[in-house]
Amino acid sequence: MNIIAIMGPHNAFYKDEPIRELDGALNAQGFQTIYPKDASDLLKLIEHNPRICGVIFDWDEYSQDLCSEIQLLNEYLPLYAFINTHSSMDVSINEMRMSMWFFEYGLGISEEIAQRIRQYTNEYIDTITPPLTKALFNYVKEGKYTFCTPGHMAGTAFQKSPVGTLFYDFFGANTLKADISISVTELGSLLDHTGPHLEAEEYIARTFGAEQSYMVTNGTSTSNKIVGMYAAAAGSTVLIDRNCHKSLTHLLMMSDIIPVWLKPTRNALGILGGIPKREFTKESIALKVAQTERATWPVHAVITNSTYDGLLYNTQYIKETLDVPSIHFDSAWVPYTNFHPIYQGLSGMSGERTPGKVIYETQSTHKLLAAFSQASLIHIKGDYDEQTFNEAYMMHTTTSPNYSIVASIETAAAMLRGNPGKRLINRSVERALHFRREIQRLREESEGWFFDIWQPEGVDEPECWAIQPGDEDWHGFMEADADHMYLDPIKVTILTPGMSERGVMADEGIPAALVAKYLDERGVVVEKTGPYNLLFLFSIGIDKTKAMSVLRGLTEFKRAYDLNLRVSNMLPDLYAQDPDFYRTMRIQDLAQGIHRLIREHDLPRLMLQAFATLPEMKLTPHQMFQQQVKGNVETVELAQLVGRVSANMILPYPPGVPVVMPGEMITEESRAVLDFLLMLCTIGKHYPGFETDIHGAKLTEDGRYLVRVWRSEAE
């Protein structure tokens, strides 16, 4: 971060010559100087090059207007205004709040000015660097010798081995020097929340609108378990979103609590909807408790916000309606909702305290912000027992945390502060909107078919679009609640031909798995693939180049599909899995073959039925896991699952949510769950390479899916 932008020269010797001298002095200080053509060019450079650490300009020529525009981009950026004896110093109070310094034009003083600029640049870097990251950087710069862990000793050990040197060169010196022991006292303690770690937590809480925040280094899977272990004592009852992440199922397996399920909706496309308003009422909860063995009134609730497909709740309604002491919003996929006005009221930390309740929000800082994998945050608003909560925190947190992950959490928060942070999120939203418009344009201009996009009409303005009753033609959710669920614009779902939002199957179709495989072979990885839809996430790291590669991939797929190329030419990796089967097959034959299978099994009806009736809970997940630990399980084929108690969670991709929980039994009433699973397996049996990924089931070499169940004699 050593680039200084200079607005000059000015074709006046008494101004140009001092600037030329200053240029040389700045270069001697290690700065790189650049000369924008005009103010517009300067603003674009600042917007697109965050390494610029200062701007030098002529006060008489640019004055207040330029300062105000720069402040909108980065209110912390140092500004250096050059004046002369005749300059008018009409500086407002607002401008004095900027990081602005004035220098007079003069010869022979360039070195002194350059030293001042170096000082102010260091102060700027110090201002924008958060506390723990700053302490870690300083520690690495000091280069202390340690006689504690980790054993590679700042990378020295790697350089003593041929393969170690490859590792060292790949990751770089600072990465390894920053991998330090918890014994380094000047960084404080992640477990005791002292020193720079405590400062980082306070810094993050202020940034995300929380009262207290905790940094977690093993992902939101761990954050979810920490909150659950604290919020629900053994023997208590918890309301849990049936579309929960599997980490919450693991929580239920670890802790002896009784789950009562909140059942969400979904549309025929398999897009995950939210929990209807009626599920949050006292009457609905009382009925569920009465129907669940050992259940009492819930002490805690867990809501997935947003859904995998990008639907956000009106969280205020949930906070006010749910009659439980604490509510946990699992917001792993939306750590950015506090930083753009379109998300107001749609996140766990939105608004003020909820009287008599504690609100938790867990976020995967690494998923859509700039943090390392496994970076996660817990935010809290409300009164809680900090000491007991910290016991749950330490229960799941290593005593040897990776400080680079911790620093990346804090840095991700720092990136979102102020005007630069607002601009980051705004760009993400704008790129997603631009991509949506491009898909619409290509669809209108294409001959024959083209991909569609899941969204309402008229999406020109940035907003979260409401899933309203009466708009089923675009969203496909029957009996939607008014002002309850909203679609996040940066979660972009592309639709392939073959099925409408209401589940009407066309005579011909292109299953989305074909498109996903085609894109993958061209370096574009899709987040989630449904039967006829593809999910793309427009995070802050997505730029126009990446977005254009998706558009190019989709248009190339259409061209190749319309030419009816051979599978061997269009999908060589798929062809390689079974050359004999795919040797003469063409892409349209493959697409229509899979489409016919989906039609024959009536996928839309089967999928909706599979999630309409839940399997019967015979044992809680905790009880079932204890049986599994004791060895009271056996293996059966998936087709034999009716009447048997599943030992594990069974979760197919797509749609990526559990259909059977540990301790549940598929009955004749819930037979559709098994029929749905078997239908997904059928596609892989007919077409190699399209085997369904089912967590909790083991696929054998001969194509059978095996599951573990509670042993018969134990039942």
Side-chain angles (χ1 to χ4, degrees), residues 131-171:
L132 175 67
T133 304
K134 189 186 304 178
L136 182 61
F137 286 1
N138 290 337
Y139 176 82
V140 169
K141 288 176 185 176
E142 288 173 357
K144 290 183 177 179
Y145 290 121
T146 64
F147 291 84
C148 50
T149 60
H152 63 72
M153 293 294 164
T156 304
F158 288 113
Q159 297 179 80
K160 296 181 178 181
S161 158
V163 67
T165 57
L166 295 175
F167 185 91
Y168 182 92
D169 292 343
F170 181 84
F171 283 101

mmCIF file of all heavy atoms in Angstrom, residues 131-171:
data_model
loop_
_atom_site.group_PDB
_atom_site.id
_atom_site.type_symbol
_atom_site.label_atom_id
_atom_site.label_comp_id
_atom_site.label_asym_id
_atom_site.label_seq_id
_atom_site.Cartn_x
_atom_site.Cartn_y
_atom_site.Cartn_z
ATOM 1 N N PRO A 131 -7.341 -4.346 15.564
ATOM 2 C CA PRO A 131 -6.362 -4.511 16.656
ATOM 3 C C PRO A 131 -5.605 -5.833 16.672
ATOM 4 O O PRO A 131 -4.379 -5.825 16.825
ATOM 5 C CB PRO A 131 -7.226 -4.352 17.922
ATOM 6 C CG PRO A 131 -8.643 -4.543 17.472
ATOM 7 C CD PRO A 131 -8.693 -4.062 16.070
ATOM 8 N N LEU A 132 -6.293 -6.963 16.533
ATOM 9 C CA LEU A 132 -5.581 -8.246 16.588
ATOM 10 C C LEU A 132 -4.667 -8.411 15.384
ATOM 11 O O LEU A 132 -3.520 -8.854 15.508
ATOM 12 C CB LEU A 132 -6.581 -9.403 16.652
ATOM 13 C CG LEU A 132 -5.958 -10.799 16.598
ATOM 14 C CD1 LEU A 132 -5.140 -11.061 17.851
ATOM 15 C CD2 LEU A 132 -7.007 -11.872 16.417
ATOM 16 N N THR A 133 -5.158 -8.049 14.216
ATOM 17 C CA THR A 133 -4.348 -8.149 12.999
ATOM 18 C C THR A 133 -3.107 -7.279 13.128
ATOM 19 O O THR A 133 -2.001 -7.685 12.741
ATOM 20 C CB THR A 133 -5.180 -7.714 11.778
ATOM 21 O OG1 THR A 133 -6.361 -8.513 11.720
ATOM 22 C CG2 THR A 133 -4.394 -7.877 10.492
ATOM 23 N N LYS A 134 -3.267 -6.103 13.691
ATOM 24 C CA LYS A 134 -2.139 -5.193 13.894
ATOM 25 C C LYS A 134 -1.105 -5.825 14.834
ATOM 26 O O LYS A 134 0.108 -5.786 14.562
ATOM 27 C CB LYS A 134 -2.652 -3.883 14.478
ATOM 28 C CG LYS A 134 -1.631 -2.765 14.551
ATOM 29 C CD LYS A 134 -2.214 -1.555 15.278
ATOM 30 C CE LYS A 134 -3.492 -1.079 14.613
ATOM 31 N NZ LYS A 134 -4.097 0.078 15.333
ATOM 32 N N ALA A 135 -1.594 -6.415 15.913
ATOM 33 C CA ALA A 135 -0.681 -7.048 16.869
ATOM 34 C C ALA A 135 0.050 -8.231 16.237
ATOM 35 O O ALA A 135 1.241 -8.444 16.481
ATOM 36 C CB ALA A 135 -1.465 -7.506 18.098
ATOM 37 N N LEU A 136 -0.654 -8.984 15.392
ATOM 38 C CA LEU A 136 -0.032 -10.124 14.723
ATOM 39 C C LEU A 136 1.027 -9.644 13.729
ATOM 40 O O LEU A 136 2.132 -10.202 13.675
ATOM 41 C CB LEU A 136 -1.104 -10.954 14.014
ATOM 42 C CG LEU A 136 -0.630 -12.227 13.301
ATOM 43 C CD1 LEU A 136 0.006 -13.193 14.288
ATOM 44 C CD2 LEU A 136 -1.792 -12.897 12.575
ATOM 45 N N PHE A 137 0.701 -8.623 12.960
ATOM 46 C CA PHE A 137 1.677 -8.062 12.015
ATOM 47 C C PHE A 137 2.929 -7.594 12.755
ATOM 48 O O PHE A 137 4.056 -7.864 12.324
ATOM 49 C CB PHE A 137 1.067 -6.876 11.262
ATOM 50 C CG PHE A 137 0.056 -7.251 10.205
ATOM 51 C CD1 PHE A 137 -0.291 -8.565 9.964
ATOM 52 C CD2 PHE A 137 -0.562 -6.264 9.448
ATOM 53 C CE1 PHE A 137 -1.224 -8.915 8.998
ATOM 54 C CE2 PHE A 137 -1.492 -6.588 8.469
ATOM 55 C CZ PHE A 137 -1.830 -7.909 8.251
ATOM 56 N N ASN A 138 2.725 -6.878 13.862
ATOM 57 C CA ASN A 138 3.865 -6.355 14.631
ATOM 58 C C ASN A 138 4.705 -7.489 15.187
ATOM 59 O O ASN A 138 5.950 -7.416 15.193
ATOM 60 C CB ASN A 138 3.370 -5.446 15.753
ATOM 61 C CG ASN A 138 2.794 -4.139 15.238
ATOM 62 O OD1 ASN A 138 3.131 -3.705 14.135
ATOM 63 N ND2 ASN A 138 1.936 -3.510 16.015
ATOM 64 N N TYR A 139 4.046 -8.547 15.674
ATOM 65 C CA TYR A 139 4.795 -9.673 16.227
ATOM 66 C C TYR A 139 5.674 -10.319 15.154
ATOM 67 O O TYR A 139 6.845 -10.629 15.394
ATOM 68 C CB TYR A 139 3.832 -10.714 16.807
ATOM 69 C CG TYR A 139 4.541 -11.950 17.304
ATOM 70 C CD1 TYR A 139 5.129 -11.984 18.569
ATOM 71 C CD2 TYR A 139 4.649 -13.080 16.501
ATOM 72 C CE1 TYR A 139 5.804 -13.107 19.009
ATOM 73 C CE2 TYR A 139 5.313 -14.204 16.935
ATOM 74 C CZ TYR A 139 5.896 -14.218 18.191
ATOM 75 O OH TYR A 139 6.578 -15.328 18.628
ATOM 76 N N VAL A 140 5.113 -10.502 13.982
ATOM 77 C CA VAL A 140 5.878 -11.120 12.894
ATOM 78 C C VAL A 140 7.065 -10.233 12.511
ATOM 79 O O VAL A 140 8.178 -10.727 12.273
ATOM 80 C CB VAL A 140 4.963 -11.380 11.675
ATOM 81 C CG1 VAL A 140 5.785 -11.771 10.446
ATOM 82 C CG2 VAL A 140 3.951 -12.468 12.005
ATOM 83 N N LYS A 141 6.855 -8.916 12.475
ATOM 84 C CA LYS A 141 7.939 -7.986 12.118
ATOM 85 C C LYS A 141 9.070 -8.027 13.140
ATOM 86 O O LYS A 141 10.246 -7.854 12.793
ATOM 87 C CB LYS A 141 7.391 -6.563 12.008
ATOM 88 C CG LYS A 141 6.523 -6.327 10.780
ATOM 89 C CD LYS A 141 5.934 -4.924 10.798
ATOM 90 C CE LYS A 141 4.975 -4.705 9.639
ATOM 91 N NZ LYS A 141 4.322 -3.370 9.699
ATOM 92 N N GLU A 142 8.729 -8.261 14.421
ATOM 93 C CA GLU A 142 9.753 -8.288 15.475
ATOM 94 C C GLU A 142 10.703 -9.464 15.317
ATOM 95 O O GLU A 142 11.859 -9.401 15.731
ATOM 96 C CB GLU A 142 9.089 -8.332 16.849
ATOM 97 C CG GLU A 142 8.418 -7.015 17.246
ATOM 98 C CD GLU A 142 7.632 -7.147 18.524
ATOM 99 O OE1 GLU A 142 7.564 -8.280 19.075
ATOM 100 O OE2 GLU A 142 7.055 -6.142 18.979
ATOM 101 N N GLY A 143 10.215 -10.569 14.739
ATOM 102 C CA GLY A 143 11.074 -11.719 14.471
ATOM 103 C C GLY A 143 11.657 -12.369 15.708
ATOM 104 O O GLY A 143 12.834 -12.741 15.734
ATOM 105 N N LYS A 144 10.873 -12.550 16.745
ATOM 106 C CA LYS A 144 11.360 -13.155 17.991
ATOM 107 C C LYS A 144 11.677 -14.642 17.795
ATOM 108 O O LYS A 144 11.057 -15.324 16.977
ATOM 109 C CB LYS A 144 10.312 -13.009 19.094
ATOM 110 C CG LYS A 144 10.110 -11.591 19.592
ATOM 111 C CD LYS A 144 9.095 -11.565 20.726
ATOM 112 C CE LYS A 144 8.921 -10.162 21.289
ATOM 113 N NZ LYS A 144 7.920 -10.125 22.387
ATOM 114 N N TYR A 145 12.643 -15.116 18.585
ATOM 115 C CA TYR A 145 12.924 -16.544 18.627
ATOM 116 C C TYR A 145 12.037 -17.174 19.697
ATOM 117 O O TYR A 145 12.034 -16.732 20.847
ATOM 118 C CB TYR A 145 14.394 -16.821 18.959
ATOM 119 C CG TYR A 145 15.349 -16.444 17.856
ATOM 120 C CD1 TYR A 145 16.353 -15.507 18.080
ATOM 121 C CD2 TYR A 145 15.248 -17.023 16.595
ATOM 122 C CE1 TYR A 145 17.244 -15.152 17.078
ATOM 123 C CE2 TYR A 145 16.127 -16.685 15.581
ATOM 124 C CZ TYR A 145 17.113 -15.741 15.827
ATOM 125 O OH TYR A 145 17.983 -15.403 14.830
ATOM 126 N N THR A 146 11.298 -18.196 19.325
ATOM 127 C CA THR A 146 10.429 -18.861 20.293
ATOM 128 C C THR A 146 10.896 -20.300 20.495
ATOM 129 O O THR A 146 11.473 -20.909 19.595
ATOM 130 C CB THR A 146 8.966 -18.871 19.811
ATOM 131 O OG1 THR A 146 8.872 -19.650 18.615
ATOM 132 C CG2 THR A 146 8.461 -17.475 19.535
ATOM 133 N N PHE A 147 10.653 -20.791 21.683
ATOM 134 C CA PHE A 147 10.968 -22.186 21.996
ATOM 135 C C PHE A 147 9.687 -22.900 22.425
ATOM 136 O O PHE A 147 9.637 -23.584 23.433
ATOM 137 C CB PHE A 147 12.063 -22.253 23.071
ATOM 138 C CG PHE A 147 13.397 -21.788 22.572
ATOM 139 C CD1 PHE A 147 13.719 -20.435 22.557
ATOM 140 C CD2 PHE A 147 14.307 -22.700 22.071
ATOM 141 C CE1 PHE A 147 14.934 -19.995 22.087
ATOM 142 C CE2 PHE A 147 15.538 -22.258 21.589
ATOM 143 C CZ PHE A 147 15.857 -20.908 21.599
ATOM 144 N N CYS A 148 8.638 -22.649 21.653
ATOM 145 C CA CYS A 148 7.334 -23.260 21.924
ATOM 146 C C CYS A 148 6.763 -23.725 20.589
ATOM 147 O O CYS A 148 7.439 -23.704 19.559
ATOM 148 C CB CYS A 148 6.413 -22.253 22.624
ATOM 149 S SG CYS A 148 6.311 -20.632 21.817
ATOM 150 N N THR A 149 5.518 -24.138 20.591
ATOM 151 C CA THR A 149 4.901 -24.606 19.355
ATOM 152 C C THR A 149 4.561 -23.410 18.458
ATOM 153 O O THR A 149 4.538 -22.271 18.949
ATOM 154 C CB THR A 149 3.615 -25.380 19.690
ATOM 155 O OG1 THR A 149 2.720 -24.493 20.384
ATOM 156 C CG2 THR A 149 3.914 -26.584 20.561
ATOM 157 N N PRO A 150 4.319 -23.631 17.179
ATOM 158 C CA PRO A 150 4.369 -24.895 16.429
ATOM 159 C C PRO A 150 5.798 -25.288 16.062
ATOM 160 O O PRO A 150 6.689 -24.433 16.001
ATOM 161 C CB PRO A 150 3.541 -24.594 15.174
ATOM 162 C CG PRO A 150 3.698 -23.127 14.978
ATOM 163 C CD PRO A 150 3.773 -22.532 16.350
ATOM 164 N N GLY A 151 5.982 -26.549 15.799
ATOM 165 C CA GLY A 151 7.318 -27.087 15.612
ATOM 166 C C GLY A 151 8.055 -26.618 14.376
ATOM 167 O O GLY A 151 9.278 -26.739 14.304
ATOM 168 N N HIS A 152 7.344 -26.067 13.410
ATOM 169 C CA HIS A 152 8.063 -25.613 12.206
ATOM 170 C C HIS A 152 8.815 -24.310 12.445
ATOM 171 O O HIS A 152 9.621 -23.889 11.611
ATOM 172 C CB HIS A 152 7.107 -25.484 11.015
ATOM 173 C CG HIS A 152 6.024 -24.455 11.181
ATOM 174 N ND1 HIS A 152 6.262 -23.099 11.152
ATOM 175 C CD2 HIS A 152 4.681 -24.595 11.356
ATOM 176 C CE1 HIS A 152 5.117 -22.450 11.289
ATOM 177 N NE2 HIS A 152 4.139 -23.319 11.436
ATOM 178 N N MET A 153 8.578 -23.650 13.598
ATOM 179 C CA MET A 153 9.329 -22.464 14.015
ATOM 180 C C MET A 153 9.394 -21.402 12.913
ATOM 181 O O MET A 153 10.438 -21.135 12.324
ATOM 182 C CB MET A 153 10.743 -22.840 14.457
ATOM 183 C CG MET A 153 10.791 -23.663 15.724
ATOM 184 S SD MET A 153 10.200 -22.702 17.130
ATOM 185 C CE MET A 153 9.916 -23.999 18.332
ATOM 186 N N ALA A 154 8.233 -20.820 12.623
ATOM 187 C CA ALA A 154 8.123 -19.744 11.624
ATOM 188 C C ALA A 154 8.555 -20.193 10.234
ATOM 189 O O ALA A 154 8.966 -19.384 9.405
ATOM 190 C CB ALA A 154 8.906 -18.515 12.061
ATOM 191 N N GLY A 155 8.489 -21.494 9.996
ATOM 192 C CA GLY A 155 8.817 -22.027 8.673
ATOM 193 C C GLY A 155 10.212 -22.558 8.543
ATOM 194 O O GLY A 155 10.571 -23.142 7.507
ATOM 195 N N THR A 156 11.049 -22.386 9.565
ATOM 196 C CA THR A 156 12.442 -22.831 9.493
ATOM 197 C C THR A 156 12.533 -24.329 9.225
ATOM 198 O O THR A 156 13.353 -24.788 8.416
ATOM 199 C CB THR A 156 13.189 -22.487 10.790
ATOM 200 O OG1 THR A 156 13.087 -21.085 11.023
ATOM 201 C CG2 THR A 156 14.651 -22.892 10.696
ATOM 202 N N ALA A 157 11.688 -25.117 9.893
ATOM 203 C CA ALA A 157 11.743 -26.577 9.734
ATOM 204 C C ALA A 157 11.455 -26.983 8.297
ATOM 205 O O ALA A 157 12.061 -27.934 7.777
ATOM 206 C CB ALA A 157 10.751 -27.239 10.689
ATOM 207 N N PHE A 158 10.531 -26.294 7.648
ATOM 208 C CA PHE A 158 10.194 -26.652 6.262
ATOM 209 C C PHE A 158 11.400 -26.499 5.337
ATOM 210 O O PHE A 158 11.561 -27.241 4.365
ATOM 211 C CB PHE A 158 9.049 -25.777 5.756
ATOM 212 C CG PHE A 158 7.714 -26.093 6.365
ATOM 213 C CD1 PHE A 158 7.093 -25.184 7.204
ATOM 214 C CD2 PHE A 158 7.078 -27.300 6.105
ATOM 215 C CE1 PHE A 158 5.856 -25.464 7.769
ATOM 216 C CE2 PHE A 158 5.847 -27.584 6.665
ATOM 217 C CZ PHE A 158 5.232 -26.671 7.504
ATOM 218 N N GLN A 159 12.258 -25.526 5.656
ATOM 219 C CA GLN A 159 13.400 -25.256 4.783
ATOM 220 C C GLN A 159 14.540 -26.247 4.974
ATOM 221 O O GLN A 159 15.578 -26.122 4.326
ATOM 222 C CB GLN A 159 13.879 -23.822 5.028
ATOM 223 C CG GLN A 159 12.822 -22.778 4.672
ATOM 224 C CD GLN A 159 13.290 -21.355 4.936
ATOM 225 O OE1 GLN A 159 14.022 -20.774 4.147
ATOM 226 N NE2 GLN A 159 12.881 -20.810 6.059
ATOM 227 N N LYS A 160 14.340 -27.225 5.828
ATOM 228 C CA LYS A 160 15.351 -28.257 6.045
ATOM 229 C C LYS A 160 15.031 -29.537 5.291
ATOM 230 O O LYS A 160 15.679 -30.565 5.495
ATOM 231 C CB LYS A 160 15.469 -28.563 7.541
ATOM 232 C CG LYS A 160 15.974 -27.377 8.369
ATOM 233 C CD LYS A 160 16.095 -27.737 9.840
ATOM 234 C CE LYS A 160 16.641 -26.561 10.657
ATOM 235 N NZ LYS A 160 16.789 -26.896 12.082
ATOM 236 N N SER A 161 14.027 -29.483 4.437
ATOM 237 C CA SER A 161 13.583 -30.674 3.717
ATOM 238 C C SER A 161 13.251 -30.298 2.279
ATOM 239 O O SER A 161 12.710 -29.210 2.037
ATOM 240 C CB SER A 161 12.330 -31.257 4.400
ATOM 241 O OG SER A 161 11.574 -32.066 3.515
ATOM 242 N N PRO A 162 13.571 -31.163 1.310
ATOM 243 C CA PRO A 162 13.241 -30.851 -0.091
ATOM 244 C C PRO A 162 11.748 -30.595 -0.297
ATOM 245 O O PRO A 162 11.350 -29.598 -0.898
ATOM 246 C CB PRO A 162 13.711 -32.091 -0.862
ATOM 247 C CG PRO A 162 14.797 -32.658 -0.015
ATOM 248 C CD PRO A 162 14.371 -32.409 1.400
ATOM 249 N N VAL A 163 10.913 -31.493 0.211
ATOM 250 C CA VAL A 163 9.477 -31.292 0.031
ATOM 251 C C VAL A 163 8.980 -30.142 0.904
ATOM 252 O O VAL A 163 8.045 -29.413 0.545
ATOM 253 C CB VAL A 163 8.694 -32.597 0.337
ATOM 254 C CG1 VAL A 163 8.783 -32.968 1.830
ATOM 255 C CG2 VAL A 163 7.235 -32.465 -0.081
ATOM 256 N N GLY A 164 9.642 -29.945 2.052
ATOM 257 C CA GLY A 164 9.280 -28.832 2.921
ATOM 258 C C GLY A 164 9.515 -27.484 2.268
ATOM 259 O O GLY A 164 8.731 -26.546 2.438
ATOM 260 N N THR A 165 10.610 -27.382 1.486
ATOM 261 C CA THR A 165 10.889 -26.118 0.803
ATOM 262 C C THR A 165 9.811 -25.821 -0.237
ATOM 263 O O THR A 165 9.477 -24.653 -0.463
ATOM 264 C CB THR A 165 12.274 -26.140 0.130
ATOM 265 O OG1 THR A 165 12.332 -27.251 -0.780
ATOM 266 C CG2 THR A 165 13.383 -26.267 1.156
ATOM 267 N N LEU A 166 9.272 -26.853 -0.887
ATOM 268 C CA LEU A 166 8.169 -26.646 -1.830
ATOM 269 C C LEU A 166 6.969 -26.050 -1.105
ATOM 270 O O LEU A 166 6.317 -25.115 -1.607
ATOM 271 C CB LEU A 166 7.776 -27.977 -2.489
ATOM 272 C CG LEU A 166 8.813 -28.644 -3.390
ATOM 273 C CD1 LEU A 166 8.310 -30.002 -3.853
ATOM 274 C CD2 LEU A 166 9.136 -27.758 -4.591
ATOM 275 N N PHE A 167 6.681 -26.593 0.064
ATOM 276 C CA PHE A 167 5.569 -26.103 0.874
ATOM 277 C C PHE A 167 5.821 -24.662 1.300
ATOM 278 O O PHE A 167 4.938 -23.802 1.190
ATOM 279 C CB PHE A 167 5.402 -27.009 2.099
ATOM 280 C CG PHE A 167 4.209 -26.690 2.958
ATOM 281 C CD1 PHE A 167 2.997 -27.308 2.724
ATOM 282 C CD2 PHE A 167 4.302 -25.794 4.016
ATOM 283 C CE1 PHE A 167 1.892 -27.028 3.515
ATOM 284 C CE2 PHE A 167 3.212 -25.496 4.807
ATOM 285 C CZ PHE A 167 2.005 -26.131 4.557
ATOM 286 N N TYR A 168 7.035 -24.376 1.755
ATOM 287 C CA TYR A 168 7.400 -23.033 2.222
ATOM 288 C C TYR A 168 7.274 -22.010 1.097
ATOM 289 O O TYR A 168 6.694 -20.926 1.267
ATOM 290 C CB TYR A 168 8.834 -23.051 2.761
ATOM 291 C CG TYR A 168 9.312 -21.729 3.323
ATOM 292 C CD1 TYR A 168 9.160 -21.443 4.671
ATOM 293 C CD2 TYR A 168 9.923 -20.773 2.500
ATOM 294 C CE1 TYR A 168 9.598 -20.225 5.196
ATOM 295 C CE2 TYR A 168 10.353 -19.569 3.014
ATOM 296 C CZ TYR A 168 10.187 -19.299 4.366
ATOM 297 O OH TYR A 168 10.605 -18.096 4.876
ATOM 298 N N ASP A 169 7.802 -22.366 -0.075
ATOM 299 C CA ASP A 169 7.766 -21.433 -1.199
ATOM 300 C C ASP A 169 6.340 -21.184 -1.665
ATOM 301 O O ASP A 169 6.016 -20.080 -2.122
ATOM 302 C CB ASP A 169 8.600 -21.969 -2.356
ATOM 303 C CG ASP A 169 10.092 -21.995 -2.041
ATOM 304 O OD1 ASP A 169 10.509 -21.306 -1.082
ATOM 305 O OD2 ASP A 169 10.833 -22.722 -2.735
ATOM 306 N N PHE A 170 5.497 -22.186 -1.576
ATOM 307 C CA PHE A 170 4.111 -22.038 -2.033
ATOM 308 C C PHE A 170 3.331 -21.089 -1.123
ATOM 309 O O PHE A 170 2.641 -20.193 -1.600
ATOM 310 C CB PHE A 170 3.428 -23.408 -2.081
ATOM 311 C CG PHE A 170 1.995 -23.357 -2.562
ATOM 312 C CD1 PHE A 170 1.713 -23.357 -3.921
ATOM 313 C CD2 PHE A 170 0.943 -23.290 -1.673
ATOM 314 C CE1 PHE A 170 0.400 -23.297 -4.378
ATOM 315 C CE2 PHE A 170 -0.375 -23.219 -2.111
ATOM 316 C CZ PHE A 170 -0.649 -23.232 -3.473
ATOM 317 N N PHE A 171 3.432 -21.277 0.176
ATOM 318 C CA PHE A 171 2.626 -20.484 1.101
ATOM 319 C C PHE A 171 3.287 -19.157 1.503
ATOM 320 O O PHE A 171 2.597 -18.224 1.898
ATOM 321 C CB PHE A 171 2.290 -21.297 2.351
ATOM 322 C CG PHE A 171 1.204 -22.301 2.123
ATOM 323 C CD1 PHE A 171 1.493 -23.633 1.929
ATOM 324 C CD2 PHE A 171 -0.119 -21.907 2.069
ATOM 325 C CE1 PHE A 171 0.498 -24.561 1.698
ATOM 326 C CE2 PHE A 171 -1.134 -22.818 1.838
ATOM 327 C CZ PHE A 171 -0.828 -24.153 1.649
#
